[in-house]
């Protein structure tokens, strides 16, 4: 192997090491989520079977106030362009 091949090999190994370093937390999180899902499913089967249904979220009875960005955009949209 000459110097160029060694340099390419080192670069490739560094790239793979960096990729593994970046992807490892994501992969570990995925495994953690699967384990939690499995534990929840097993606990649900032990305690009864049917999954509990979520209550639907009710909308607020209060009126909503538009944000500053919405207010500004509405004001800009309502102005007429005048060509002279």
């Amino acid at each position: 192997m000459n110097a160029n091949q060694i340099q390419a090999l080192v670069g490739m190994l560094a790239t793979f090491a960096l990729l593994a370093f970046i992807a490892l937390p994501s992969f570990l999180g995925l495994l953690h989520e699967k384990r939690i899902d499995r534990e929840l499913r097993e606990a649900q089967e032990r305690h009864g079977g049917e999954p509990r249904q979520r209550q639907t979220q009710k909308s607020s009875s209060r009126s909503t106030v538009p944000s500053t960005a919405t207010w500004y955009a509405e004001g800009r949209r309502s102005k007429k362009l005048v060509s002279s």
Side-chain angles (χ1 to χ4, degrees):
M1 289 180 80
N2 62 19
N4 286 339
Q5 290 174 330
I6 292 174
Q7 187 177 8
L9 180 63
V10 168
M12 197 169 22
L13 289 175
T15 302
F16 285 136
L18 189 60
L19 176 66
F21 182 71
I22 290 172
L24 185 63
S26 176
F27 182 69
L28 292 176
L30 180 67
L31 291 176
H32 182 70
E33 289 290 325
K34 285 186 175 258
R35 182 180 60 94
I36 290 174
D37 287 344
R38 187 187 66 231
E39 288 176 0
L40 288 173
R41 195 171 33 253
E42 289 171 356
Q44 190 176 29
E45 289 171 359
R46 275 194 308 262
H47 289 290
E50 282 297 315
R52 290 180 17 188
Q53 295 199 356
R54 289 185 177 181
Q55 294 179 354
T56 57
Q57 184 177 359
K58 296 177 182 170
S59 64
S60 176
S61 59
R62 297 184 316 172
S63 63
T64 59
V65 178
S67 68
T68 304
T70 306
W71 173 81
Y72 179 74
E74 286 295 325
R76 298 278 297 174
R77 227 178 279 135
S78 65
K79 293 182 180 176
K80 303 278 185 195
L81 292 176
V82 178
S83 61
S84 23

